[in-house]
Amino acid sequence: MTDAPWWRGAVTYQIYPRSFLDTDGDGVGDLPGIIEKLDYVASLGVDAIWISPFFRSPMADYGYDIADYCDVDPLFGTLEDFDRLLAKAHGLGLRVMIDQVLSHTSIEHAWFQESRQSRDNAKADWYVWADAKEDGTPPNNWLSIFGGGAWQWEPRRGQYYLHNFLASQPDLNFHHPEVRAAILDCVRFWLERGVDGLRLDAINFCFHDAQLRDNPPKPKAQRTGRGFSPDNPYAFQYHWYNNTQPENLAFLAELRALLDRFPGTVALGEISSEDSLATTAEYTQAGRLHMGYSFELLTDDFSAAHIRGTVEQLEAQMREGWPCWAISNHDVQRVLSRWGGERPSPALANLFTALVCSLRGSVCVYQGEELGLTEVDVPYEALKDPYGIAFWPQFKGRDGCRTPMPWSGGEHGGFSVSVPWLPVPPEHRTLAVARQEADPVSVLQGFRRIMQWRRGQSALRWGDIRFLDTPEPVLAFLRCHAGETLLIAFNLDGNAVQAELSLDGQWWPVDGHGLAQGAFDGGRLRLPGHGVLFARQA
């Protein structure tokens, strides 16, 4: 399948620029820091990088509140720095994807600054404005993910504006054709600059219900969701009307048509809806997004049944699209802490990497996964995330997964010569890149072995998937491509296990991945604690 698009089966490394490497001594990472470490990223064996927002922003939500879509914030560098980054990445064989936050802007964006002034200016309808009810209360019951109501009063217009996130992140009115055209112009700016793809933040939030209908209440037993606890009022509603509207499909087609004019580019949508898997399948149909990912594997549920059920449910619905899987990112607790427990073995990190890289689809890995970093317990007085500050102590926010990369064991982990924007804990400095580079059995070296080995397994990169019936804690499935079949099994527990598999023929272990290997013969699967089996049919 050498003629497959580059992104099919690719592994993309997410870089959170604030926390990657600081080169100017202000305690915040920057684009020159990414440039400096691109050789390291290429050495991991990944195919692409995804860079979280680096655009002009007041940083109320640390870059996801954009004040200018077409410029680099001075905190991170310049447009010339980005061009140098792009050129060096391409020279190393790395594709470059950038975050695009299209559903909302910063309150400081020039569009909003004009829109808020009156009801009759040129951009008066570029955001979602609505009159108060007769008693002065907001127009409906919609809630913000970050706490409280989703409507903010604007005295200049005598109206409320919608914000699905922070009050300083007003939602654009995608029902207005000029808004859609302006957004596509901003996307075109980066495509013309040479980026290879877009990671589309909260892409199902672009449109709202034009009738502003109330969201219905959700029963208490169903108040669960990614990134917020059941006591966050956001979980009290079915979010049927403030996002995931049918009009969004036509916009996705417009966006795809734009990307099609730049051969080789790709759109990956982040999707969080009431039925994220169904929405992912819908959004990745022909002529829409190339790939989609949701948060089902970014939860606390580390069971064979959950992983199998999630993948099978998506497979049953996704007839045309291509999935992308992630088990860590900048919005959730680090996977080694989330799935590994209070004192996880660092070796578990390689098991988790092998697992996500064995599912059908492409993969996003988050900076630090290759080191086996755990979640950091950031004290309240050091918190920066407005989400965590609002919901402390029930929910501590996202700072614990956003702490700086440890490059060395020295002060601040070699991230900066000054105090970093978030602390680098001692336990991360012991896992620093420099230390792991010198250790042939480190998590870092294990990550590289898995990446290199996977490149040679066409069944893993492009094959179909079929799960096998096994008891907990065993997850087993077949990957098939071009006449080759791989049997893959994972023991999700620390104790050795055995299981019966109804498979004909002989199977030979496939080595080279560096993980604790099990065996399969006579219909019996044997796996060591946290072990795997990769076997090829004879």
Side-chain angles (χ1 to χ4, degrees), residues 469-526:
D469 292 332
T470 52
E472 293 285 352
V474 177
L475 179 71
F477 48 90
L478 300 175
R479 297 293 310 277
C480 306
H481 175 71
E484 179 185 60
T485 299
L486 282 183
L487 166 62
I488 303 169
F490 293 90
N491 179 5
L492 307 186
D493 189 78
N495 299 311
V497 296
Q498 296 188 35
E500 299 293 331
L501 292 181
S502 299
L503 290 175
D504 296 328
Q506 288 190 318
W507 298 80
W508 301 106
V510 179
D511 295 317
H513 45 74
L515 300 168
Q517 178 84 300
F520 177 63
D521 58 75
R524 183 174 293 275
L525 173 68
R526 296 187 299 276

Side-chain angles (χ1 to χ4, degrees), residues 296-498:
E296 276 69 19
L297 297 188
L298 293 165
T299 67
D300 295 341
D301 193 344
F302 181 52
S303 67
H306 175 67
I307 296 169
R308 174 180 178 174
T310 295
V311 176
E312 285 188 328
Q313 185 179 344
L314 184 60
E315 288 287 316
Q317 300 177 86
M318 183 177 277
R319 301 297 185 185
E320 303 173 22
W322 186 255
C324 185
W325 299 105
I327 56 176
S328 271
N329 68 16
H330 64 292
D331 279 335
V332 298
Q333 186 182 35
R334 283 195 174 271
V335 68
L336 196 57
S337 298
R338 201 174 70 248
W339 283 359
E342 290 187 10
R343 295 182 179 179
S345 164
L348 270 176
N350 289 149
L351 177 76
F352 297 157
T353 295
L355 194 161
V356 72
C357 286
S358 296
L359 302 176
R360 188 182 86 93
S362 300
V363 181
C364 288
V365 298
Y366 180 47
Q367 65 181 49
E369 279 186 72
E370 78 276 16
L371 303 178
L373 297 187
T374 53
E375 185 80 357
V376 178
D377 188 11
V378 180
Y380 180 79
E381 58 273 15
L383 286 184
K384 300 293 193 299
D385 181 13
Y387 198 2
I389 292 170
F391 284 95
W392 180 276
Q394 285 78 14
F395 174 63
K396 298 182 180 180
R398 303 164 293 180
D399 288 331
C401 68
R402 297 178 174 184
T403 55
M405 276 282 287
W407 296 102
S408 71
E411 188 178 18
H412 309 316
F415 165 76
S416 177
V417 296
S418 61
V419 178
W421 76 289
L422 284 173
V424 181
E427 63 269 23
H428 280 194
R429 296 201 295 274
T430 64
L431 297 171
V433 171
R435 293 189 176 188
Q436 295 203 38
E437 291 278 16
D439 181 0
V441 296
S442 67
V443 174
L444 173 59
Q445 303 294 15
F447 182 93
R448 286 181 172 136
R449 279 191 291 272
I450 293 168
M451 292 297 127
Q452 181 179 9
W453 176 79
R454 182 180 180 271
R455 280 182 178 270
Q457 309 299 321
S458 62
L460 285 185
R461 297 180 68 186
W462 305 304
D464 297 331
I465 190 168
R466 178 169 69 87
F467 285 86
L468 304 172
D469 292 332
T470 52
E472 293 285 352
V474 177
L475 179 71
F477 48 90
L478 300 175
R479 297 293 310 277
C480 306
H481 175 71
E484 179 185 60
T485 299
L486 282 183
L487 166 62
I488 303 169
F490 293 90
N491 179 5
L492 307 186
D493 189 78
N495 299 311
V497 296
Q498 296 188 35

